[in-house]
């Protein structure tokens, strides 16, 4: 039986096609998000189906997640990204107790129980300063590719202190730092540290290890180290971190099918 | 004639109203359609879902006609006292006097939401230097200037001290603009030292006898002010009778809360419960009518509980809600996402507890004032929230922050940590501005996630240490 998960995020759409019986991913894909959430999701879904040599009718259930989940008309149902990321990470790293997910638009901290069920979560809802968008803005300001930001940060001697809690003011601060001669390396490292500090503030005072880092920002070099420093404990990156939401959605779709079958 | 209980839109209410009238519904003088309030500027009603009972219609009409009542009171020669930053003490004293109507200018808090910012109150506050760094209660400043939402009271009484920094700053600005205010002071409630005489307060708190005596003296001073204002003595007998009437309201509300929060099926939506609770703190400018409105609502709820009828799905997640929400629509949203309210702490829980009737009235009021959650520590507040969450069997706690409101910044975290460690249930903090339309998808995600999480946890008992 085939099931699919579609993660319609704010910056990218991800699709996972799952062999539900074997719990094996048979194809996946990722594309930029745009204005027409539904058609973009549909196009990517069809691409993934084609690559796997499958047809839409062969997919028993589709779960959509992510910020634009309600716009994905092909989905049978929607589940929030909190539940989906937890499910995806638990599948890949079964002993994960804490999941940090930093996506394009927000960041989340999920606490899981031993069954991989979320028992508590926090989300950064104040501003973009703890998200992937902030990194994109900084990369543009420093005139480097997003992926190169980590390399730049790794060369820092003395990370700059970014004090603003708001992305707009932080941008002003970065312009000021550049003008006063602070190196791009130190600014890049300072920005990563400030994002990590924001996430750490969501964690509060007690955090259960192991901590797993997921979401698109987990692919940016240097972010894991910054997060480890802010949380004060080791952090591992989930395999294919950008895909864990879509994977979780596909797994939930298969679970829902199993429940239907057992009824 | 009432249909099966459900939440309906404003449009549905238009037709439903006609049916109810044809079926013989009797209404008080302030009755009528909900639609007319929209025509008068309460635009937010267009997007809300309302309970479909005539009792709920009366509740809404009572709330939304307070301004008319105040203006009628003035025309009838009654004196109007504005009791500010006081949630349950001075209104009790004021209503013990004949010919005096007390109201709560802080209620202007909701005008920007209800009128969808069309009234311009924030702009006026901004121009007076009270910008969005302050709590939305700054709308009150604009309301005083425009005089479009309530008549300027003949007397203003405001608490200061441990209640709320934002409000004190805003009220001081008002004072500076030429609106005289009688201030009374309330200290931060502290735990009595071992060598101090300890006084038990309503709500399970305690304070040193010296603090109670101080507050009693402050209230005695207010008694004199009110006597001079009304031109009649405010003796203990009248005060005791006033306390008894206030307690009648509180008892009705306590029963309503108990029934609604513990019923198997949710008998009354969150929005109507919020308004019912608001009535208890200031009586919406008519204490006697408040009692009638609550009685009718309670009858409706009792009937629904007995008939095992509810307005929401049977598996709705039981959520305890902390802090009043700046945008009323979010109460609907929680229910749309699969939640129901089972317990609330809107910062005025002391106005819901009964005032002791076995004590001299001024002593009883002083103790009540000191039981205010705002004058105690955040830890005290958290303890009560945990106890009530347990009592009502809530499965999750939702803390709604108010942008700019100083108490929210620190208390939310303390309350969340207490709930996590003592109750081990999910806690969610959200921030809700007076108009939340632009962030609705984000809020929906959080609320849906809370509901999903709580439902998943029903299937597992494994919450880590
Ligand atoms: S800050 Fe809180 S307590 Fe103070 S006026 Fe605003 S809502 Fe009320």
């Amino acid at each position: 039986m085939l099931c699919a998960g579609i993660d319609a995020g704010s910056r990218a759409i991800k699709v996972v096609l799952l062999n539900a019986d074997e719990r094996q991913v048979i194809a996946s894909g990722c594309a930029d998000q745009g204005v027409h959430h539904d058609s973009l999701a549909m196009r990517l879904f069809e691409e993934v189906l084609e690559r796997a040599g499958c047809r839409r009718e062969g997919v028993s259930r589709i779960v959509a997640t992510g910020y634009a989940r309600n716009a994905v008309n092909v989905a049978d149902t929607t589940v929030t990204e909190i539940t989906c990321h937890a499910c995806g990470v638990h599948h890949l790293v079964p002993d994960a107790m804490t999941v940090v997910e930093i996506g394009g638009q927000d960041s989340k901290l999920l606490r899981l129980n031993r069954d991989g069920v979320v028992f508590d979560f926090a989300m950064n809802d104040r501003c973009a300063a703890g998200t992937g968008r902030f990194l994109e803005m900084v990369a543009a300001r420093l005139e480097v590719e997003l992926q190169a930001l980590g390399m730049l940060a790794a060369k820092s001697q003395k990370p700059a202190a970014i004090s603003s809690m708001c992305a707009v003011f932080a941008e002003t601060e970065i312009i000021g730092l550049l003008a006063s001669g602070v190196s791009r390396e130190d600014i890049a490292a300072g920005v990563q540290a400030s994002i990590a500090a924001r996430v750490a503030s969501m964690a509060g005072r007690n955090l259960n290890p192991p901590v797993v880092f997921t979401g698109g920002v987990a692919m940016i070099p240097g972010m894991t180290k910054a997060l480890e420093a802010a949380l004060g404990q080791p952090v591992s990156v989930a395999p294919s971190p950008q895909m864990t939401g879509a994977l979780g959605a596909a797994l939930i779709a298969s679970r829902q099918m199993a429940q239907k079958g057992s009824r | 004639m009432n249909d099966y209980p459900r939440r309906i839109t404003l449009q549905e209410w238009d037709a439903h109203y006609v049916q109810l009238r044809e079926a013989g519904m009797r209404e008080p003088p302030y009755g009528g359609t909900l639609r007319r309030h929209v025509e008068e500027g309460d635009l937010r009603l267009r997007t809300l879902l309302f309970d479909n009972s005539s009792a709920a219609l009366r509740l809404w009409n009572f709330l939304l006609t307070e301004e008319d009542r105040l203006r009628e009171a003035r025309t009838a020669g009654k004196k109007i006292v504005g009791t500010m930053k006081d949630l349950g003490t001075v209104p009790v004293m004021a209503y013990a006097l004949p010919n005096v109507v007390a109201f709560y200018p802080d209620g202007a808090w909701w005008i920007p939401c209800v009128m969808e910012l069309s009234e311009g109150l924030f702009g006026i506050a901004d121009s007076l230097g009270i910008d969005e760094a302050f709590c939305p209660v700054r709308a009150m400043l604009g309301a005083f200037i425009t005089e479009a939402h309530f008549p300027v009271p003949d007397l203003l009484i405001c608490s200061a001290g441990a209640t709320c920094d934002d409000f004190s700053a805003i009220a001081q600005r008002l004072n500076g603009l030429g609106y005289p205010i009688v201030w009374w002071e309330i200290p931060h409630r502290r735990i009595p030292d071992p060598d101090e005489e300890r006084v038990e307060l309503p709500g399970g708190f305690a304070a040193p006898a010296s603090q109670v005596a101080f507050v009693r003296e402050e209230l005695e001073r207010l008694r004199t002010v009110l006597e001079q204002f009304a031109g009649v003595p405010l003796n203990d007998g009248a005060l005791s009778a006033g306390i008894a009437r206030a307690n009648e309201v509180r008892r009705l509300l306590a029963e309503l809360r108990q029934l609604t929060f513990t019923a198997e099926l949710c008998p009354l939506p969150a929005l109507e419960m919020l308004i019912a609770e608001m009535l208890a703190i200031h009586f919406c400018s008519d204490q006697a009518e408040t009692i009638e409105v609550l009685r009718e609502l309670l009858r409706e709820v009792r009937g629904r509980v007995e008939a095992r009828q509810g307005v929401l799905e049977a598996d709705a997640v039981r959520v305890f809600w902390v802090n009043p929400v700046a945008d009323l629509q979010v109460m609907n949203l929680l229910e749309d996402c699969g939640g129901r309210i089972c317990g609330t702490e809107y910062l005025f829980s002391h106005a819901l507890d009964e005032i002791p009737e076995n004590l001299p009235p001024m002593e009883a009021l002083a103790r009540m004032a000191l039981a205010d959650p705002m004058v105690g520590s955040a830890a005290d507040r958290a303890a009560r929230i945990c106890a009530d969450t347990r009592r009502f069997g809530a499965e999750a706690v939702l803390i709604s922050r108010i942008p700019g409101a100083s108490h929210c910044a620190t208390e939310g975290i303390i309350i969340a940590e207490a709930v996590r460690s003592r109750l081990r249930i999910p806690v969610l903090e959200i921030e809700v501005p007076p108009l939340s339309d632009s962030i609705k998808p984000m809020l929906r995600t959080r609320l849906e996630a809370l509901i999903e999480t709580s439902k998943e946890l029903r299937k597992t008992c494994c919450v880590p240490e």
Side-chain angles (χ1 to χ4, degrees):
Chain A
M1 178 178 62
L2 291 180
C3 287
I6 301 177
D7 180 357
S10 61
R11 315 294 295 161
I13 310 166
K14 288 81 66 178
V15 171
V16 162
L17 195 60
L18 188 81
N19 176 335
D21 309 310
E22 320 244 308
R23 287 162 69 86
Q24 286 284 347
V25 175
I26 54 173
S28 65
C30 181
D32 282 348
Q33 183 59 283
V35 180
H36 306 290
H37 306 309
D38 185 36
S39 54
L40 288 168
M42 197 58 207
R43 192 185 307 156
L44 179 64
F45 180 48
E46 278 166 356
E47 266 174 43
V48 170
L49 283 173
E50 199 180 311
R51 235 181 300 131
C54 304
R55 288 155 48 107
R56 162 72 190 91
E57 304 76 63
V59 182
S60 304
R61 192 164 178 83
I62 305 167
V63 167
T65 187
Y67 131 99
R69 64 190 178 280
N70 291 314
V72 180
N73 291 322
V74 71
D76 296 296
T77 188
T78 62
V79 175
T80 67
E81 47 273 42
I82 284 107
T83 306
C84 289
H85 278 292
C87 182
V89 170
H90 179 71
H91 177 76
L92 299 166
V93 189
D95 63 344
M97 297 297 278
T98 301
V99 177
V100 172
E101 194 267 343
I102 308 183
Q105 187 167 263
D106 60 18
S107 44
K108 316 171 185 70
L109 188 129
L110 321 177
R111 295 165 210 269
L112 312 189
N113 68 15
R114 300 214 176 278
D115 302 330
V117 173
V118 181
F119 74 89
D120 201 13
F121 65 93
M123 285 173 93
N124 160 29
D125 61 358
R126 291 251 171 123
C127 85
T131 70
R133 272 193 78 79
F134 184 39
L135 282 174
E136 283 177 356
M137 180 275 287
V138 173
R141 274 273 157 220
L142 300 183
E143 294 175 358
V144 289
E145 289 294 316
L146 189 55
Q147 285 303 319
L149 202 64
M151 260 99 79
L152 204 62
K155 293 185 204 140
S156 166
Q157 298 293 317
K158 187 172 171 275
I162 310 287
S163 54
S164 289
M165 298 300 270
C166 156
V168 178
F169 287 117
E171 183 174 12
T172 312
E173 214 176 321
I174 289 163
I175 295 168
L177 288 170
L178 280 170
S180 60
V182 177
S183 73
R184 296 190 318 153
E185 289 77 2
D186 288 347
I187 293 174
V191 163
Q192 290 198 335
S194 92
I195 292 178
R198 227 153 205 259
V199 172
S201 74
M202 283 195 292
R205 282 182 295 179
N206 34 38
L207 198 68
N208 292 334
V211 180
V212 176
F213 185 17
T214 191
V217 173
M219 298 189 303
I220 296 173
M223 271 312 300
T224 311
K225 236 175 87 189
L227 205 54
E228 282 181 334
L231 294 174
Q233 48 182 307
V235 171
S236 62
V237 176
S240 307
Q242 205 181 9
M243 305 302 292
T244 49
L247 172 64
L251 288 162
I252 289 168
S254 77
R255 201 194 293 159
Q256 288 175 347
M257 285 307 292
Q259 277 163 1
K260 251 193 193 170
S262 67
R263 254 184 246 136
Chain B
M1 183 213 78
N2 271 338
D3 287 346
Y4 191 88
R6 65 192 178 96
R7 298 181 305 149
I8 59 174
T9 62
L10 185 74
Q11 220 161 359
E12 287 172 307
W13 247 118
D14 291 340
H16 188 53
Y17 180 80
V18 175
Q19 285 171 2
L20 287 174
R21 289 292 297 191
E22 283 170 3
M25 174 179 70
R26 297 236 305 269
E27 288 190 281
Y30 54 83
T33 62
L34 282 177
R35 171 77 55 188
R36 86 198 136 113
H37 302 296
V38 177
E39 281 147 18
E40 286 161 12
D42 295 342
L43 306 176
R44 201 58 171 165
L45 303 191
R46 295 173 306 181
T47 56
L48 299 179
L49 288 174
F50 308 87
D51 183 78
N52 66 340
S53 64
S54 52
L57 176 68
R58 182 176 181 176
L59 177 76
W60 278 102
N61 278 332
F62 185 51
L63 176 83
L64 297 171
T65 54
E66 182 171 18
E67 186 189 344
D68 304 344
R69 236 171 351 265
L70 284 169
R71 297 202 191 276
E72 278 161 24
R74 170 147 295 162
T75 310
K78 289 192 176 176
K79 292 190 169 174
I80 300 176
V81 51
T83 64
M84 305 197 301
K85 201 71 262 156
D86 168 62
L87 308 170
T89 311
V90 182
V92 179
M93 294 171 75
Y95 275 102
L97 286 162
N99 229 23
V100 168
V101 174
F103 89 107
Y104 179 58
D106 321 23
W109 204 84
W110 266 304
I111 296 172
C113 163
V114 173
M115 299 187 74
E116 296 192 341
L117 303 181
S118 62
E119 74 315 318
L121 298 185
F122 284 155
I124 297 172
D126 285 348
S127 70
L128 295 169
I130 304 288
D131 62 15
E132 71 274 1
F134 290 85
C135 168
V137 81
R138 68 199 175 97
M140 181 188 75
L141 267 186
F144 269 96
I145 306 284
T146 61
E147 294 185 30
H149 305 282
F150 51 73
V152 173
D154 303 301
L155 172 68
L156 281 173
I157 298 177
C158 183
S159 76
T163 35
C164 164
D165 293 346
D166 276 49
F167 197 87
S168 290
I170 294 164
Q172 284 175 52
R173 187 75 178 97
L174 182 69
N175 205 169
L177 290 169
Y179 297 84
I181 294 176
V182 176
W183 299 93
W184 66 286
E185 194 178 329
I186 183 129
H188 175 72
R189 183 181 67 234
R190 61 179 173 80
I191 298 167
D193 290 337
D195 59 346
E196 276 183 311
E197 191 188 334
R198 177 188 170 94
V199 176
E200 301 302 327
L201 306 176
F205 304 118
S210 58
Q211 281 199 323
V212 178
F214 173 81
V215 174
R216 199 176 54 233
E217 274 170 34
E218 283 293 275
L219 295 179
E220 283 292 359
R221 192 165 58 78
L222 290 185
R223 164 145 66 172
T224 308
V225 168
L226 284 166
E227 283 176 335
Q228 284 165 355
F229 171 68
V232 289
L234 179 52
N235 57 37
D236 278 5
L239 267 177
S240 296
I243 289 175
R245 279 194 300 277
N247 278 344
E248 193 176 346
V249 173
R250 294 175 189 211
R251 273 192 297 275
L252 285 169
L253 196 71
E255 193 180 344
L256 192 63
R257 277 166 56 92
Q258 181 68 24
L259 271 177
T260 304
F261 298 157
T262 60
E264 194 183 327
L265 293 175
C266 177
L268 194 66
L271 204 42
E272 279 73 15
M273 271 309 288
L274 168 69
I275 295 167
E277 293 198 21
M278 293 295 298
L279 294 192
I281 59 173
H282 57 98
F283 315 123
C284 220
S285 306
D286 187 338
Q287 199 183 38
E289 185 61 16
T290 293
I291 293 173
E292 293 312 314
V293 169
L294 289 178
R295 274 197 189 130
E296 189 179 341
L297 201 61
L298 186 57
R299 261 197 308 277
E300 179 70 35
V301 165
R302 238 189 248 127
R304 289 177 178 186
V305 172
E306 279 160 16
R308 298 171 67 91
Q309 293 179 334
V311 288
L312 302 169
E313 295 292 322
D315 71 341
V317 168
R318 308 166 68 85
V319 177
F320 190 100
W321 192 297
V322 178
N323 291 336
V325 71
D327 184 350
L328 299 171
Q329 208 184 47
V330 179
M331 308 298 291
N332 282 164
L333 186 61
L334 175 79
E335 294 174 333
D336 298 344
C337 293
R340 65 177 273 201
I341 299 285
C342 286
T344 54
E345 206 279 33
Y346 294 136
L347 271 166
F348 50 75
S349 46
H350 69 303
L352 310 182
D353 294 330
E354 280 187 52
I355 307 165
E357 289 189 52
N358 57 349
L359 294 170
M362 294 305 276
E363 170 74 14
L365 288 171
R367 292 191 190 186
M368 205 70 235
L370 267 170
D372 184 333
M374 245 178 291
V375 308
S377 67
D380 269 2
R381 202 178 158 212
R384 176 154 187 174
I385 287 168
C386 287
D388 284 353
T389 302
R390 221 178 253 135
R391 178 158 76 97
F392 293 124
E395 299 167 273
V397 172
L398 183 69
I399 303 170
S400 111
R401 284 195 305 261
I402 306 157
S406 52
H407 63 84
C408 294
T410 50
E411 294 208 336
I413 293 163
I414 295 166
I415 294 165
E417 280 186 0
V419 172
R420 280 190 187 109
S421 65
R422 286 178 219 169
L423 304 181
R424 316 175 68 70
I425 57 176
V427 189
L428 175 65
E429 275 194 81
I430 55 172
E431 182 161 292
V432 182
L435 276 191
S436 65
D437 303 55
S438 62
I439 58 163
K440 203 169 166 188
M442 198 174 80
L443 286 172
R444 181 180 277 279
T445 294
R446 282 155 180 71
L447 295 176
E448 281 183 1
L450 183 73
I451 302 305
E452 281 171 9
T453 301
S454 305
K455 282 190 173 168
E456 275 300 304
L457 286 171
R458 284 176 181 170
K459 301 178 205 156
T460 161
C461 55
C462 173
V463 173
E465 292 300 314

